[in-house]
Amino acid sequence: MVRLALWQNLRRDARHPVARHLGRQLKSGWRLPILPFSLACALPLLVLAAYAYHAVDEAMGWALPLFLMLFSTVYCAVWIARIVALISRQARSGAMDEVSVIPPGRVFIYLTICKVVLNEDDALYWLGLLRRVLAGGAFLILIMSLCIVAAQMNQLSPREFAAVSIELMLFAVVIQLEHSQSALIACLLAVAAGSRLHSLVDRASVIVAGFILLQILSFSLAIGAVVALGQASLSLTLALFLLSREMLILLLWRAILRDANEDNLPPRSLQWRDTLRRKV
């Protein structure tokens, strides 16, 4: 529910006056167009995926999340850099201190910045549409292949057919959900880590490296859990992969809310909290 609410909020067009103000700041100077850049990077990835399918054959299904995350990293890295830059610009201008007194507070500004960055040039809409087309096309091709195989093999039981159908449905779900999960992780990680890292380091580069590490870790945890359970099931691996990323989104969202609530505490409450920590 948290992921769904956040994703619906980020998908809406930025029409708030604050969003328009942030959009004008974002468009100052030359900007790398996300959609053409992502499509250009997708071509070598498709060639690599086709070569991998030819080389490893049926094991290609296990590498599907890696190829999807590799494609998502292309545009998410640019989004992270722009979110961090826009947050830093607002912090230097004192806007973050001013909005802390209103009820929505910093979380409203954070989500608005993410919304403005993701919806620039309608990149989020077109990339989401591309994922939906890929998911639908992949599911259609796979289910047609399954029907052809089932027609040629009379010994395929209904239970086996249902199991393979569920596995194919998970393929389509992973293609679509990986995009939204990666975009949410990029936004939440940029917000959560961007306000904590010092200005002496390149925050965008550090956060992009952390984003790539979390991407790899989510898939590694799914593979490790399947190995620990002793069940080499692709459908279980894909389900655990999506579940681990959902838990990561929930943890990042709670960290942002906790930091925002602490920033809104009055000075005496902060002094009392620090005193209590020293005593403990």
Side-chain angles (χ1 to χ4, degrees), residues 177-239:
L177 282 186
E178 191 278 331
H179 163 68
S180 60
Q181 287 180 333
S182 294
L184 279 174
I185 292 174
C187 291
L188 298 177
L189 187 62
V191 171
S195 58
R196 297 184 179 184
L197 296 178
H198 299 289
S199 58
L200 297 178
V201 297
D202 187 1
R203 288 181 290 182
S205 301
V206 174
I207 296 174
V208 169
F211 172 76
I212 296 175
L213 181 61
L214 290 177
Q215 294 278 72
I216 299 175
L217 184 61
S218 61
F219 183 69
S220 301
L221 289 176
I223 296 293
V226 171
V227 172
L229 293 175
Q231 297 181 359
S233 174
L234 178 59
S235 58
L236 181 59
T237 303
L238 297 178

Side-chain angles (χ1 to χ4, degrees), residues 247-264:
M247 296 300 297
L248 177 60
I249 291 172
L250 181 61
L251 292 176
L252 289 173
W253 177 238
R254 289 188 174 182
I256 293 174
L257 292 180
R258 183 176 63 252
D259 293 343
N261 291 332
E262 289 182 357
D263 290 338
N264 290 333

Side-chain angles (χ1 to χ4, degrees), residues 34-50 67-68 70-72 74-75 127 130-131 134:
I34 294 293
L35 188 60
F37 176 69
S38 302
L39 295 178
C41 294
L43 294 178
L45 283 177
L46 288 176
V47 175
L48 181 61
F67 282 99
L68 293 176
L70 187 59
F71 176 59
S72 299
V74 173
Y75 51 84
L127 289 172
L130 177 62
R131 283 301 184 101
L134 289 176

Side-chain angles (χ1 to χ4, degrees), residues 7 11 35 71 75 79 118 122-135 175-177 179-180 183:
W7 185 244
R11 287 184 60 186
L35 188 60
F71 176 59
Y75 51 84
W79 281 343
L118 267 64
D122 294 329
L124 180 63
Y125 170 77
W126 290 111
L127 289 172
L129 180 62
L130 177 62
R131 283 301 184 101
R132 288 193 291 270
V133 172
L134 289 176
I175 293 175
Q176 171 60 22
L177 282 186
H179 163 68
S180 60

